[in-house]
Amino acid sequence: MQLKRGLVLCLGFALAAWPALAGNGHMLHGFGPVNSSMAGAGAALALDPVGVLMFNPALLTTVEGNRVLFGSEFFEDGIEIEVNLDGGNGDRSGITKPSNQVGVLPSIGWTSHEPGSKFGYGFGLVAVAGFRTDYPADPDSILFDIPPAGFGRIYTDYRVTRIPVALGYQATDKLSVGIALNAYLAELAIAPLPHVVFDVPASDAGDPLASDSRFYPQGGNLVSELSFSVQLGFHYEHSEKLSFGGSITTDQDYDPFTWNSTIAYPELPPTGNFGAPRELDFDLDGPVNATVGVGYQPNDKTDIAFDVMWIEYDGVAGFGSPGGIVDRIVFPFGWRNVWVYKTGIQYQMNEKLTVRAGYNYSDIPIRQEVVLTATGAPAMFKHHFTAGLGLKLSESLTAEAAFYVVPRESVTGPFPDLDNNVLGTMTTSNELTSVLMGLSWNF
């Protein structure tokens, strides 16, 4: 029981953190049915309003008229956590799967560029990351036994919405520049929230870090924080067939998420304060990211895009923590920087039907040596295979649809206790399937 208690408690924060159901780090690989079906590529091609607003505001001047897109994404992941203890620790193994739930992510974008004007404008509301997990308490589980022997049930919910207001300017016949002010609304719930703050029996009050009986407070209600970033972009039209584009987005600095919570230790005497109020907080910011891309149009019916994206997690509050266990405290994430490679092709079959396909490759941000403290954010997504189509319903209205799959990938690393003694191995894996639908208007 002592060993099992130590194992589960050291997992506390790791498993209650943020499993962002995304694809490129903590972000979705693409946004809206058009951009997503192109594997998120399009920094040099203005294929749809949402893609323009997310990856390059300079593209606002490259398409005339008003364009609006409303889209929704429906996704489901497949998280699995496997722990194997070596012979000296009971030679046990176990696999845990949360209760899977379908998530829904909206995407809305509007762009406008009057013929002959040097200025283009845009506005959007786009879900950029989100998840829900619900691990049930299980007396037979290595990880989720009933407290204090285990950690019990874990519930998390995280949602990030980006609201861009963008401006593009045609500087020369070939060069456009753009800027966007992005507001982010992030909502977060974690139950329990075990990082740093925990309750122990009164007998361990003199040295709480040494205690193997830990009771963690709840952050189970959704709380929200607001942040802003600036995005700068450029687009250069080398010829009628070849163009280059790119953008950089500054970091998102949220105030710490703060919850009204209570003392979690259930034994009233001698502490006498079970249920007493306490405030919890945790700091989780967003990273700088940059994208460059090439657009190629070999003929009037074909568009080909290739992008490279860089996401800097190192040093970012929350995601960029060192990870691992320090002084018997579990530090979450410990993510590394990520490179992403995207390519997509769009082909107009006839006047009504356009088809698309793409491939997206992303580094996995989770480091093998700290897989334990990153398990709660299982961004194990590497290969993204995407497809989609647009069906023109009228002169101005088009129905859009997309589909993508991310095959299962895994990371295996050491499974230590709170004193960093390796007791076995832990393997975290995930997969993702998603369907997107939408309507676009051009007028």
Side-chain angles (χ1 to χ4, degrees), residues 33-92:
V34 177
N35 180 254
S36 184
S37 65
M38 294 285 287
L45 290 175
L47 301 179
D48 78 296
V50 173
V52 167
L53 291 169
M54 295 304 297
F55 290 113
N56 192 358
L59 292 170
L60 289 167
T61 63
T62 64
V63 179
E64 295 183 349
N66 288 275
R67 301 191 301 164
V68 178
L69 184 143
F70 293 93
S72 295
E73 177 172 350
F74 305 86
F75 66 87
E76 186 174 48
D77 73 325
I79 304 169
E80 291 186 4
I81 302 170
E82 181 177 356
V83 175
N84 292 283
L85 306 183
D86 61 31
N89 293 291
D91 195 21
R92 295 186 58 201

CSV table of all heavy atoms in Angstrom, one decimal, residues 33-92:
chain,number,residue,atom,x,y,z
A,33,PRO,N,-13.0,24.2,-41.8
A,33,PRO,CA,-13.0,23.0,-42.7
A,33,PRO,C,-12.0,23.2,-43.9
A,33,PRO,O,-11.5,22.2,-44.4
A,33,PRO,CB,-14.4,22.9,-43.2
A,33,PRO,CG,-15.1,24.2,-42.9
A,33,PRO,CD,-14.4,24.8,-41.7
A,34,VAL,N,-11.8,24.4,-44.4
A,34,VAL,CA,-11.0,24.6,-45.6
A,34,VAL,C,-9.5,24.5,-45.2
A,34,VAL,O,-8.7,23.7,-45.7
A,34,VAL,CB,-11.3,25.9,-46.3
A,34,VAL,CG1,-10.3,26.2,-47.4
A,34,VAL,CG2,-12.7,26.0,-46.8
A,35,ASN,N,-9.1,25.3,-44.2
A,35,ASN,CA,-7.7,25.3,-43.8
A,35,ASN,C,-7.3,24.0,-43.2
A,35,ASN,O,-6.2,23.5,-43.4
A,35,ASN,CB,-7.5,26.4,-42.8
A,35,ASN,CG,-6.1,26.5,-42.2
A,35,ASN,OD1,-5.8,26.1,-41.1
A,35,ASN,ND2,-5.1,27.0,-43.1
A,36,SER,N,-8.2,23.3,-42.4
A,36,SER,CA,-7.9,22.0,-41.8
A,36,SER,C,-7.7,21.0,-42.9
A,36,SER,O,-6.8,20.1,-42.8
A,36,SER,CB,-9.0,21.6,-40.9
A,36,SER,OG,-8.7,20.4,-40.2
A,37,SER,N,-8.5,21.0,-43.9
A,37,SER,CA,-8.4,20.0,-45.0
A,37,SER,C,-7.1,20.2,-45.8
A,37,SER,O,-6.6,19.2,-46.4
A,37,SER,CB,-9.6,20.0,-45.9
A,37,SER,OG,-9.6,21.2,-46.6
A,38,MET,N,-6.5,21.4,-45.7
A,38,MET,CA,-5.2,21.6,-46.3
A,38,MET,C,-4.1,21.4,-45.4
A,38,MET,O,-2.9,21.9,-45.6
A,38,MET,CB,-5.2,23.1,-46.8
A,38,MET,CG,-6.1,23.4,-48.0
A,38,MET,SD,-5.5,22.7,-49.6
A,38,MET,CE,-4.2,23.8,-49.9
A,39,ALA,N,-4.3,20.7,-44.3
A,39,ALA,CA,-3.3,20.4,-43.2
A,39,ALA,C,-2.8,21.6,-42.5
A,39,ALA,O,-1.7,21.5,-41.9
A,39,ALA,CB,-2.2,19.6,-43.8
A,40,GLY,N,-3.6,22.7,-42.5
A,40,GLY,CA,-3.2,23.9,-41.9
A,40,GLY,C,-2.2,24.8,-42.7
A,40,GLY,O,-1.8,25.9,-42.3
A,41,ALA,N,-1.9,24.4,-43.9
A,41,ALA,CA,-1.0,25.1,-44.8
A,41,ALA,C,-1.8,26.3,-45.5
A,41,ALA,O,-3.0,26.1,-45.7
A,41,ALA,CB,-0.4,24.2,-45.9
A,42,GLY,N,-1.1,27.4,-45.8
A,42,GLY,CA,-1.8,28.5,-46.5
A,42,GLY,C,-1.3,29.8,-46.1
A,42,GLY,O,-2.0,30.8,-46.3
A,43,ALA,N,-0.1,29.9,-45.5
A,43,ALA,CA,0.4,31.2,-45.1
A,43,ALA,C,0.7,32.1,-46.3
A,43,ALA,O,0.9,33.3,-46.2
A,43,ALA,CB,1.7,31.1,-44.3
A,44,ALA,N,0.8,31.5,-47.5
A,44,ALA,CA,1.0,32.3,-48.8
A,44,ALA,C,-0.1,32.2,-49.7
A,44,ALA,O,0.0,32.8,-50.8
A,44,ALA,CB,2.3,31.8,-49.4
A,45,LEU,N,-1.2,31.6,-49.4
A,45,LEU,CA,-2.4,31.5,-50.2
A,45,LEU,C,-3.7,31.8,-49.4
A,45,LEU,O,-3.9,31.3,-48.4
A,45,LEU,CB,-2.6,30.1,-50.8
A,45,LEU,CG,-1.5,29.6,-51.8
A,45,LEU,CD1,-1.8,28.2,-52.2
A,45,LEU,CD2,-1.6,30.5,-53.1
A,46,ALA,N,-4.5,32.8,-49.9
A,46,ALA,CA,-5.7,33.2,-49.2
A,46,ALA,C,-6.8,32.2,-49.7
A,46,ALA,O,-7.6,32.6,-50.6
A,46,ALA,CB,-6.1,34.6,-49.6
A,47,LEU,N,-6.9,31.1,-49.1
A,47,LEU,CA,-7.9,30.1,-49.5
A,47,LEU,C,-9.3,30.2,-48.7
A,47,LEU,O,-10.3,29.8,-49.3
A,47,LEU,CB,-7.4,28.7,-49.2
A,47,LEU,CG,-6.1,28.3,-49.9
A,47,LEU,CD1,-5.6,26.9,-49.6
A,47,LEU,CD2,-6.2,28.5,-51.4
A,48,ASP,N,-9.3,30.8,-47.5
A,48,ASP,CA,-10.5,31.0,-46.8
A,48,ASP,C,-10.3,32.0,-45.7
A,48,ASP,O,-9.2,32.3,-45.3
A,48,ASP,CB,-11.0,29.7,-46.2
A,48,ASP,CG,-10.3,29.3,-45.0
A,48,ASP,OD1,-9.0,29.1,-45.0
A,48,ASP,OD2,-10.9,29.3,-43.9
A,49,PRO,N,-11.4,32.7,-45.2
A,49,PRO,CA,-11.2,33.7,-44.2
A,49,PRO,C,-10.5,33.3,-42.9
A,49,PRO,O,-9.7,34.0,-42.3
A,49,PRO,CB,-12.6,34.2,-44.0
A,49,PRO,CG,-13.4,33.8,-45.2
A,49,PRO,CD,-12.8,32.5,-45.6
A,50,VAL,N,-10.9,32.1,-42.4
A,50,VAL,CA,-10.4,31.6,-41.1
A,50,VAL,C,-8.9,31.4,-41.2
A,50,VAL,O,-8.1,31.8,-40.4
A,50,VAL,CB,-11.1,30.4,-40.6
A,50,VAL,CG1,-10.4,29.8,-39.4
A,50,VAL,CG2,-12.6,30.7,-40.3
A,51,GLY,N,-8.4,30.7,-42.3
A,51,GLY,CA,-7.0,30.5,-42.5
A,51,GLY,C,-6.2,31.7,-42.6
A,51,GLY,O,-5.1,31.9,-42.0
A,52,VAL,N,-6.7,32.7,-43.3
A,52,VAL,CA,-6.1,34.0,-43.4
A,52,VAL,C,-5.9,34.7,-42.0
A,52,VAL,O,-4.8,35.2,-41.7
A,52,VAL,CB,-6.9,35.0,-44.3
A,52,VAL,CG1,-6.4,36.4,-44.2
A,52,VAL,CG2,-6.8,34.5,-45.8
A,53,LEU,N,-7.0,34.7,-41.2
A,53,LEU,CA,-6.9,35.3,-39.9
A,53,LEU,C,-6.0,34.6,-38.9
A,53,LEU,O,-5.4,35.2,-38.0
A,53,LEU,CB,-8.3,35.4,-39.3
A,53,LEU,CG,-9.3,36.4,-40.1
A,53,LEU,CD1,-10.7,36.2,-39.6
A,53,LEU,CD2,-8.8,37.8,-39.9
A,54,MET,N,-5.9,33.3,-39.1
A,54,MET,CA,-5.1,32.6,-38.1
A,54,MET,C,-3.6,32.6,-38.5
A,54,MET,O,-2.7,32.5,-37.6
A,54,MET,CB,-5.6,31.1,-38.1
A,54,MET,CG,-7.0,31.0,-37.5
A,54,MET,SD,-7.1,31.7,-35.9
A,54,MET,CE,-6.0,30.7,-34.9
A,55,PHE,N,-3.2,32.6,-39.8
A,55,PHE,CA,-1.8,32.4,-40.2
A,55,PHE,C,-1.2,33.6,-40.9
A,55,PHE,O,0.1,33.7,-40.9
A,55,PHE,CB,-1.7,31.2,-41.0
A,55,PHE,CG,-1.9,29.9,-40.2
A,55,PHE,CD1,-3.0,29.1,-40.5
A,55,PHE,CD2,-1.1,29.5,-39.2
A,55,PHE,CE1,-3.3,27.9,-39.8
A,55,PHE,CE2,-1.3,28.4,-38.5
A,55,PHE,CZ,-2.4,27.6,-38.8
A,56,ASN,N,-1.9,34.5,-41.5
A,56,ASN,CA,-1.3,35.6,-42.2
A,56,ASN,C,-2.2,36.8,-42.5
A,56,ASN,O,-2.9,36.7,-43.6
A,56,ASN,CB,-0.6,35.1,-43.4
A,56,ASN,CG,0.4,36.2,-44.0
A,56,ASN,OD1,0.5,37.3,-43.5
A,56,ASN,ND2,1.0,35.8,-45.1
A,57,PRO,N,-2.3,37.8,-41.7
A,57,PRO,CA,-3.2,38.9,-42.0
A,57,PRO,C,-2.8,39.7,-43.3
A,57,PRO,O,-3.6,40.5,-43.8
A,57,PRO,CB,-3.1,39.8,-40.8
A,57,PRO,CG,-1.8,39.5,-40.2
A,57,PRO,CD,-1.6,38.0,-40.4
A,58,ALA,N,-1.6,39.6,-43.8
A,58,ALA,CA,-1.2,40.3,-45.0
A,58,ALA,C,-2.0,39.8,-46.2
A,58,ALA,O,-2.1,40.5,-47.2
A,58,ALA,CB,0.3,40.1,-45.3
A,59,LEU,N,-2.6,38.6,-46.1
A,59,LEU,CA,-3.3,38.0,-47.2
A,59,LEU,C,-4.7,38.7,-47.4
A,59,LEU,O,-5.4,38.5,-48.4
A,59,LEU,CB,-3.6,36.5,-47.0
A,59,LEU,CG,-2.3,35.6,-47.1
A,59,LEU,CD1,-2.7,34.2,-46.6
A,59,LEU,CD2,-1.8,35.6,-48.5
A,60,LEU,N,-5.0,39.6,-46.5
A,60,LEU,CA,-6.3,40.3,-46.6
A,60,LEU,C,-6.5,41.1,-47.9
A,60,LEU,O,-7.6,41.3,-48.4
A,60,LEU,CB,-6.5,41.2,-45.4
A,60,LEU,CG,-6.8,40.5,-44.0
A,60,LEU,CD1,-6.6,41.5,-42.9
A,60,LEU,CD2,-8.2,39.9,-44.0
A,61,THR,N,-5.4,41.6,-48.5
A,61,THR,CA,-5.4,42.4,-49.7
A,61,THR,C,-5.3,41.6,-51.0
A,61,THR,O,-5.4,42.2,-52.0
A,61,THR,CB,-4.3,43.4,-49.7
A,61,THR,OG1,-3.0,42.7,-49.7
A,61,THR,CG2,-4.4,44.3,-48.4
A,62,THR,N,-5.2,40.3,-50.9
A,62,THR,CA,-5.0,39.5,-52.1
A,62,THR,C,-6.3,38.9,-52.7
A,62,THR,O,-6.2,38.4,-53.8
A,62,THR,CB,-4.0,38.3,-51.7
A,62,THR,OG1,-4.7,37.4,-50.8
A,62,THR,CG2,-2.7,38.8,-51.2
A,63,VAL,N,-7.4,39.1,-52.0
A,63,VAL,CA,-8.7,38.6,-52.5
A,63,VAL,C,-9.7,39.7,-52.4
A,63,VAL,O,-9.8,40.4,-51.4
A,63,VAL,CB,-9.2,37.3,-51.8
A,63,VAL,CG1,-10.5,36.9,-52.3
A,63,VAL,CG2,-8.2,36.2,-51.9
A,64,GLU,N,-10.5,40.0,-53.5
A,64,GLU,CA,-11.4,41.1,-53.5
A,64,GLU,C,-12.8,40.6,-53.0
A,64,GLU,O,-13.2,39.4,-53.1
A,64,GLU,CB,-11.6,41.6,-54.9
A,64,GLU,CG,-10.3,42.3,-55.4
A,64,GLU,CD,-10.5,42.9,-56.7
A,64,GLU,OE1,-11.5,42.7,-57.4
A,64,GLU,OE2,-9.6,43.7,-57.2
A,65,GLY,N,-13.5,41.6,-52.4
A,65,GLY,CA,-14.9,41.3,-51.9
A,65,GLY,C,-14.9,40.9,-50.5
A,65,GLY,O,-14.0,41.0,-49.7
A,66,ASN,N,-16.1,40.5,-50.1
A,66,ASN,CA,-16.4,40.1,-48.7
A,66,ASN,C,-16.5,38.6,-48.7
A,66,ASN,O,-17.1,38.0,-49.5
A,66,ASN,CB,-17.7,40.7,-48.1
A,66,ASN,CG,-17.5,42.2,-47.9
A,66,ASN,OD1,-17.1,42.6,-46.8
A,66,ASN,ND2,-17.9,43.0,-48.8
A,67,ARG,N,-15.9,38.0,-47.7
A,67,ARG,CA,-15.9,36.5,-47.5
A,67,ARG,C,-16.2,36.2,-46.1
A,67,ARG,O,-15.6,36.8,-45.2
A,67,ARG,CB,-14.6,35.8,-48.0
A,67,ARG,CG,-14.3,36.1,-49.4
A,67,ARG,CD,-13.1,35.2,-49.9
A,67,ARG,NE,-11.9,35.4,-49.1
A,67,ARG,CZ,-10.9,34.6,-49.0
A,67,ARG,NH1,-10.9,33.5,-49.7
A,67,ARG,NH2,-9.8,34.8,-48.3
A,68,VAL,N,-17.1,35.3,-45.9
A,68,VAL,CA,-17.5,34.8,-44.5
A,68,VAL,C,-17.5,33.3,-44.5
A,68,VAL,O,-18.0,32.7,-45.4
A,68,VAL,CB,-18.9,35.4,-44.1
A,68,VAL,CG1,-19.3,34.9,-42.7
A,68,VAL,CG2,-18.9,36.9,-44.2
A,69,LEU,N,-17.0,32.8,-43.4
A,69,LEU,CA,-17.1,31.3,-43.2
A,69,LEU,C,-17.5,31.0,-41.8
A,69,LEU,O,-17.0,31.6,-40.8
A,69,LEU,CB,-15.7,30.7,-43.4
A,69,LEU,CG,-15.7,29.1,-43.4
A,69,LEU,CD1,-14.8,28.5,-44.4
A,69,LEU,CD2,-15.3,28.6,-42.0
A,70,PHE,N,-18.5,30.1,-41.6
A,70,PHE,CA,-19.0,29.6,-40.4
A,70,PHE,C,-18.6,28.1,-40.4
A,70,PHE,O,-19.1,27.3,-41.3
A,70,PHE,CB,-20.5,29.8,-40.1
A,70,PHE,CG,-20.9,31.2,-40.0
A,70,PHE,CD1,-21.3,31.9,-41.1
A,70,PHE,CD2,-20.9,31.8,-38.7
A,70,PHE,CE1,-21.6,33.3,-40.9
A,70,PHE,CE2,-21.2,33.1,-38.6
A,70,PHE,CZ,-21.6,33.9,-39.7
A,71,GLY,N,-17.9,27.6,-39.4
A,71,GLY,CA,-17.6,26.2,-39.4
A,71,GLY,C,-17.6,25.6,-38.0
A,71,GLY,O,-17.6,26.3,-37.0
A,72,SER,N,-17.7,24.3,-37.9
A,72,SER,CA,-17.7,23.6,-36.6
A,72,SER,C,-16.9,22.3,-36.8
A,72,SER,O,-17.0,21.6,-37.8
A,72,SER,CB,-19.1,23.2,-36.2
A,72,SER,OG,-19.9,24.3,-35.9
A,73,GLU,N,-16.1,22.0,-35.7
A,73,GLU,CA,-15.3,20.8,-35.7
A,73,GLU,C,-15.8,19.8,-34.6
A,73,GLU,O,-16.1,20.3,-33.5
A,73,GLU,CB,-13.9,21.1,-35.5
A,73,GLU,CG,-13.0,19.8,-35.5
A,73,GLU,CD,-11.5,20.2,-35.5
A,73,GLU,OE1,-11.1,21.3,-35.7
A,73,GLU,OE2,-10.7,19.2,-35.2
A,74,PHE,N,-15.9,18.5,-34.9
A,74,PHE,CA,-16.4,17.5,-34.0
A,74,PHE,C,-15.2,16.5,-33.9
A,74,PHE,O,-14.9,15.8,-34.9
A,74,PHE,CB,-17.7,16.9,-34.4
A,74,PHE,CG,-18.8,17.8,-34.7
A,74,PHE,CD1,-18.9,18.4,-35.9
A,74,PHE,CD2,-19.7,18.2,-33.7
A,74,PHE,CE1,-19.9,19.4,-36.2
A,74,PHE,CE2,-20.7,19.1,-33.9
A,74,PHE,CZ,-20.8,19.7,-35.2
A,75,PHE,N,-14.6,16.4,-32.7
A,75,PHE,CA,-13.4,15.5,-32.6
A,75,PHE,C,-13.6,14.6,-31.4
A,75,PHE,O,-14.3,14.8,-30.5
A,75,PHE,CB,-12.2,16.3,-32.4
A,75,PHE,CG,-12.1,17.1,-31.1
A,75,PHE,CD1,-11.6,16.5,-30.0
A,75,PHE,CD2,-12.6,18.4,-31.1
A,75,PHE,CE1,-11.6,17.2,-28.8
A,75,PHE,CE2,-12.5,19.1,-29.9
A,75,PHE,CZ,-12.0,18.6,-28.7
A,76,GLU,N,-12.8,13.5,-31.5
A,76,GLU,CA,-12.7,12.5,-30.4
A,76,GLU,C,-11.3,11.9,-30.4
A,76,GLU,O,-10.8,11.6,-31.4
A,76,GLU,CB,-13.7,11.4,-30.6
A,76,GLU,CG,-13.8,10.5,-29.4
A,76,GLU,CD,-14.9,9.5,-29.5
A,76,GLU,OE1,-15.0,8.8,-30.5
A,76,GLU,OE2,-15.7,9.3,-28.5
A,77,ASP,N,-10.7,11.9,-29.2
A,77,ASP,CA,-9.4,11.3,-29.1
A,77,ASP,C,-9.4,9.9,-28.4
A,77,ASP,O,-10.5,9.4,-28.2
A,77,ASP,CB,-8.5,12.3,-28.2
A,77,ASP,CG,-8.9,12.2,-26.8
A,77,ASP,OD1,-10.1,12.1,-26.5
A,77,ASP,OD2,-8.0,12.3,-25.9
A,78,GLY,N,-8.3,9.4,-28.2
A,78,GLY,CA,-8.2,8.0,-27.7
A,78,GLY,C,-7.0,7.9,-26.7
A,78,GLY,O,-6.1,7.1,-27.0
A,79,ILE,N,-7.0,8.6,-25.6
A,79,ILE,CA,-5.9,8.5,-24.7
A,79,ILE,C,-5.8,7.2,-24.0
A,79,ILE,O,-6.8,6.6,-23.6
A,79,ILE,CB,-6.1,9.6,-23.6
A,79,ILE,CG1,-6.3,11.0,-24.2
A,79,ILE,CG2,-4.9,9.6,-22.6
A,79,ILE,CD1,-6.7,12.1,-23.2
A,80,GLU,N,-4.6,6.7,-23.9
A,80,GLU,CA,-4.3,5.5,-23.1
A,80,GLU,C,-3.0,5.7,-22.3
A,80,GLU,O,-2.0,6.3,-22.8
A,80,GLU,CB,-4.1,4.3,-24.0
A,80,GLU,CG,-5.4,3.8,-24.7
A,80,GLU,CD,-5.1,2.5,-25.5
A,80,GLU,OE1,-4.0,1.9,-25.4
A,80,GLU,OE2,-6.1,2.1,-26.2
A,81,ILE,N,-3.0,5.3,-21.0
A,81,ILE,CA,-1.9,5.4,-20.1
A,81,ILE,C,-1.6,4.0,-19.6
A,81,ILE,O,-2.4,3.4,-19.0
A,81,ILE,CB,-2.2,6.3,-19.0
A,81,ILE,CG1,-2.5,7.7,-19.5
A,81,ILE,CG2,-1.0,6.4,-18.0
A,81,ILE,CD1,-3.1,8.6,-18.4
A,82,GLU,N,-0.4,3.5,-19.9
A,82,GLU,CA,0.0,2.2,-19.5
A,82,GLU,C,1.2,2.3,-18.5
A,82,GLU,O,2.2,3.0,-18.8
A,82,GLU,CB,0.4,1.3,-20.6
A,82,GLU,CG,0.8,-0.1,-20.2
A,82,GLU,CD,1.1,-1.0,-21.4
A,82,GLU,OE1,0.9,-0.6,-22.5
A,82,GLU,OE2,1.5,-2.2,-21.2
A,83,VAL,N,1.1,1.7,-17.4
A,83,VAL,CA,2.2,1.7,-16.4
A,83,VAL,C,2.7,0.2,-16.2
A,83,VAL,O,1.8,-0.7,-16.0
A,83,VAL,CB,1.8,2.3,-15.0
A,83,VAL,CG1,2.9,2.2,-14.0
A,83,VAL,CG2,1.4,3.7,-15.2
A,84,ASN,N,4.0,0.0,-16.2
A,84,ASN,CA,4.6,-1.3,-16.0
A,84,ASN,C,5.6,-1.2,-14.9
A,84,ASN,O,6.6,-0.4,-15.0
A,84,ASN,CB,5.2,-1.9,-17.2
A,84,ASN,CG,4.2,-2.2,-18.3
A,84,ASN,OD1,3.5,-3.2,-18.2
A,84,ASN,ND2,4.1,-1.3,-19.3
A,85,LEU,N,5.4,-1.8,-13.8
A,85,LEU,CA,6.3,-1.9,-12.7
A,85,LEU,C,7.3,-3.0,-12.8
A,85,LEU,O,6.9,-4.1,-13.3
A,85,LEU,CB,5.6,-2.0,-11.3
A,85,LEU,CG,4.5,-0.9,-11.0
A,85,LEU,CD1,4.0,-1.2,-9.6
A,85,LEU,CD2,5.1,0.5,-11.2
A,86,ASP,N,8.6,-2.8,-12.5
A,86,ASP,CA,9.5,-3.9,-12.6
A,86,ASP,C,9.3,-5.0,-11.5
A,86,ASP,O,8.5,-4.8,-10.6
A,86,ASP,CB,11.0,-3.4,-12.7
A,86,ASP,CG,11.4,-2.7,-11.4
A,86,ASP,OD1,10.8,-3.0,-10.3
A,86,ASP,OD2,12.2,-1.7,-11.5
A,87,GLY,N,10.1,-6.0,-11.6
A,87,GLY,CA,9.9,-7.2,-10.7
A,87,GLY,C,10.1,-6.8,-9.2
A,87,GLY,O,9.4,-7.3,-8.4
A,88,GLY,N,10.9,-5.9,-8.9
A,88,GLY,CA,11.2,-5.5,-7.6
A,88,GLY,C,10.1,-4.7,-7.0
A,88,GLY,O,10.0,-4.4,-5.8
A,89,ASN,N,9.1,-4.2,-7.8
A,89,ASN,CA,8.0,-3.4,-7.3
A,89,ASN,C,6.7,-4.1,-7.6
A,89,ASN,O,5.7,-3.4,-7.8
A,89,ASN,CB,8.0,-2.0,-7.9
A,89,ASN,CG,9.2,-1.2,-7.5
A,89,ASN,OD1,9.3,-0.8,-6.4
A,89,ASN,ND2,10.2,-1.0,-8.4
A,90,GLY,N,6.7,-5.4,-7.6
A,90,GLY,CA,5.4,-6.1,-7.7
A,90,GLY,C,5.1,-6.6,-9.1
A,90,GLY,O,4.1,-7.4,-9.3
A,91,ASP,N,5.9,-6.3,-10.1
A,91,ASP,CA,5.8,-6.8,-11.5
A,91,ASP,C,4.3,-6.6,-11.9
A,91,ASP,O,3.7,-7.6,-12.4
A,91,ASP,CB,6.2,-8.3,-11.5
A,91,ASP,CG,6.3,-8.8,-12.9
A,91,ASP,OD1,6.5,-7.9,-13.8
A,91,ASP,OD2,6.3,-10.0,-13.2
A,92,ARG,N,3.8,-5.4,-11.8
A,92,ARG,CA,2.4,-5.1,-12.1
A,92,ARG,C,2.4,-4.2,-13.3
A,92,ARG,O,3.3,-3.5,-13.7
A,92,ARG,CB,1.7,-4.4,-11.0
A,92,ARG,CG,1.6,-5.2,-9.7
A,92,ARG,CD,0.7,-4.5,-8.7
A,92,ARG,NE,-0.6,-4.1,-9.3
A,92,ARG,CZ,-1.4,-3.2,-8.8
A,92,ARG,NH1,-1.0,-2.4,-7.8
A,92,ARG,NH2,-2.5,-2.9,-9.3
